[in-house]
Amino acid sequence: MKPVLPCLLAILLGACASTPQQASVKNDTLYQRLGGAAGIEAVVDASLKRVHGDLRINIFFENTDVPDLRRLLIEQICAASGGPCVYSGRSMEEAHSGMNLSDRDFDIFVEDLIAAMNEVKVPAPLQQELLGLFGPMRPQIVGQ
Ligand code: HEM
């Protein structure tokens, strides 16, 4: 067997020597790995800036209280990622009711979110974890 193979096997089995620091990163909540409150605020601020500059969807936000939306988005992401927050906003159905959002609107919103996460340098695996939390909300948001 080539020497690389045992190590590869060890990695697959999770048996590779890991420092205590690596072990703690593995157990940290998504909230902690995103950088806690400051990390989430950076993602939300960069996202809102992009959404408001995006001619394809910014019309939906023309009557929105942006500081309030910012606060609720931060709260929602914090709570969903295992952070010490309680989401105090409306349900997704209620918040988006009357907007009749399409799948395309939803995809554009996600596109802006991904661009924002790239901008603030959220690592790709964490982006996937965050999108995994919010992707399933599509049916509660589209067509309401
Ligand atoms: C995963 C996707 C989404 C999430 C997690 C999300 C989350 C939220 C949250 C937490 C609120 C505040 C709730 C409240 O006011 O009580 C909100 C409001 C709002 N969302 Fe979304 N949203 C998503 C997708 C979208 C999309 C695709 C659009 C439009 C393109 C949109 C437009 C709005 C608008 C305009 C408001 C403000 C409503 C108002 O002013 O009353 N959202 N959203």
Side-chain angles (χ1 to χ4, degrees):
M1 213 182 323
K2 281 189 180 166
V4 71
L5 271 180
C7 187
L8 206 66
L9 272 176
I11 291 169
L12 288 173
L13 296 170
C16 235
S18 66
T19 64
Q21 203 191 350
Q22 279 171 326
S24 95
V25 164
K26 219 165 145 194
N27 294 327
D28 277 349
T29 59
L30 176 58
Y31 172 81
Q32 285 165 312
R33 286 174 290 131
L34 283 169
I40 291 173
E41 280 169 27
V43 169
V44 169
D45 286 338
S47 301
L48 284 177
K49 211 167 121 202
R50 282 180 186 269
V51 165
H52 286 290
D54 192 331
L55 294 174
R56 299 170 298 174
I57 54 171
N58 60 3
I59 187 136
F60 291 111
F61 297 86
E62 64 178 355
N63 296 319
T64 296
D65 177 342
V66 177
D68 203 44
L69 177 61
R70 176 184 184 271
R71 178 180 62 79
L72 291 169
L73 284 171
I74 291 169
E75 236 176 60
Q76 190 188 36
I77 296 176
C78 167
S81 63
C85 311
V86 176
Y87 173 62
S88 65
R90 294 171 289 171
S91 71
M92 289 298 92
E93 286 94 336
E94 229 185 305
H96 302 92
S97 108
M99 291 186 208
N100 199 17
L101 294 173
S102 65
D103 278 310
R104 180 174 146 78
D105 297 326
F106 188 91
D107 292 341
I108 293 169
F109 185 87
V110 170
E111 189 187 307
D112 288 342
L113 172 61
I114 293 171
M117 291 193 289
N118 284 329
E119 185 189 321
V120 302
K121 308 216 176 336
V122 174
L126 293 194
Q127 294 191 19
Q128 288 309 315
E129 274 189 64
L130 194 60
L131 293 173
L133 293 177
F134 291 97
M137 292 179 183
R138 181 189 290 261
Q140 295 147 36
I141 291 169
V142 167
Q144 301 296 328

